[in-house]
Amino acid sequence: MTPTPTPSPPPAPLHFYFDFISPFGYFASLRIEPLAARHGRSVEWRAMLLGVSVLKVMGLKSLLDTPLKGDYIRRDAKRYMRRHGLEVKRDLDDAVMDPRAAGRAFYWVKHHHPALAAPLAHAIYHAYWAEGRDLSTAEAVAAIALPEGLDAQRLREGIASEEARQWLRSAVEASLQAGIFGSPTVVVDGEPFWGVETLGLVEEWLDSGGW
């Protein structure tokens, strides 16, 4: 009798690193799941903090505050939105929210309601960029249109919890240990691709098996 072949394990997920304050992270968040699905992959969402990686660890200014580069980033973002038909109510030069409440919300949900983590990330991104809302507090995050099955009061309490603070701190440290410094970054089988413009390279890498 011919033995039944052992099924191959599913391919590893794409690791998607992002910061909610990153416009290019928002742009990539709208494309990463369809991209992964075209190649039979899932997406592992991982929030990080640019304020730690760029300002504290790398000791750099934000891109918008960097002479010459800041003007290019403003132009590039507008060009990307025109090309992809996107509209946002938040200008890149508007005051930047404190992203920690959103990050804690994401990791609290990822631990307690893992199936709702990606939908929550989409909801936060939409509220912040497409609607232009300031989500610096637990109250503000809990007041957005939450994914079905997520209770606003529980989420508010979760954001304020010490476990959520620790989960975010640990995730940020893990992202630094993995060499992640920017948003968005997609890691494919250990190979990192930084920037929304590299999503085309991610597609080619997945099509070809790498080079």
Side-chain angles (χ1 to χ4, degrees), residues 166-191:
Q166 184 56 52
W167 285 330
L168 177 59
R169 284 194 294 265
S170 296
V172 171
E173 180 59 32
S175 71
L176 296 173
Q177 292 297 319
I180 306 301
F181 60 88
S183 169
T185 297
V186 180
V187 179
V188 185
D189 301 330
E191 193 72 19

Side-chain angles (χ1 to χ4, degrees), residues 134-163:
D134 180 5
L135 304 179
S136 297
T137 66
E139 290 73 22
V141 174
I144 70 174
L146 298 173
E148 185 176 354
L150 198 55
D151 179 74
Q153 178 60 31
R154 291 282 311 279
L155 179 61
R156 206 161 34 238
E157 295 170 355
I159 295 170
S161 68
E162 182 56 35
E163 63 179 4

Side-chain angles (χ1 to χ4, degrees), residues 32-175:
I32 189 61
E33 288 170 320
L35 185 159
R38 285 194 292 272
H39 299 275
R41 303 278 188 128
S42 59
V43 179
E44 175 72 23
W45 293 65
R46 299 185 174 187
M48 47 85 74
L49 295 177
L50 290 171
V52 176
S53 65
V54 174
L55 303 182
K56 293 185 178 180
V57 175
M58 298 171 68
L60 302 176
K61 295 180 179 180
S62 70
L63 288 178
L64 293 178
D65 291 332
T66 301
L68 302 180
K69 185 179 287 186
D71 290 337
Y72 176 82
I73 291 298
R74 293 176 180 87
R75 178 185 292 270
D76 193 33
K78 291 178 181 177
R79 181 171 58 207
Y80 184 97
M81 288 188 286
R82 290 196 303 270
R83 181 186 180 196
H84 292 273
L86 298 176
E87 294 185 5
V88 300
K89 291 187 178 179
R90 175 168 297 281
D91 189 87
L92 267 66
D93 288 307
D94 288 345
V96 178
M97 74 169 179
D98 183 336
R100 288 176 294 181
R104 291 167 185 161
F106 172 78
Y107 281 110
W108 185 85
V109 170
K110 188 173 183 178
H111 279 79
H112 290 285
H113 307 280
L116 298 180
L120 177 66
H122 282 299
I124 292 174
Y125 258 138
H126 182 82
Y128 185 64
W129 286 103
E131 298 177 357
R133 299 169 68 167
D134 180 5
L135 304 179
S136 297
T137 66
E139 290 73 22
V141 174
I144 70 174
L146 298 173
E148 185 176 354
L150 198 55
D151 179 74
Q153 178 60 31
R154 291 282 311 279
L155 179 61
R156 206 161 34 238
E157 295 170 355
I159 295 170
S161 68
E162 182 56 35
E163 63 179 4
R165 295 172 188 271
Q166 184 56 52
W167 285 330
L168 177 59
R169 284 194 294 265
S170 296
V172 171
E173 180 59 32
S175 71

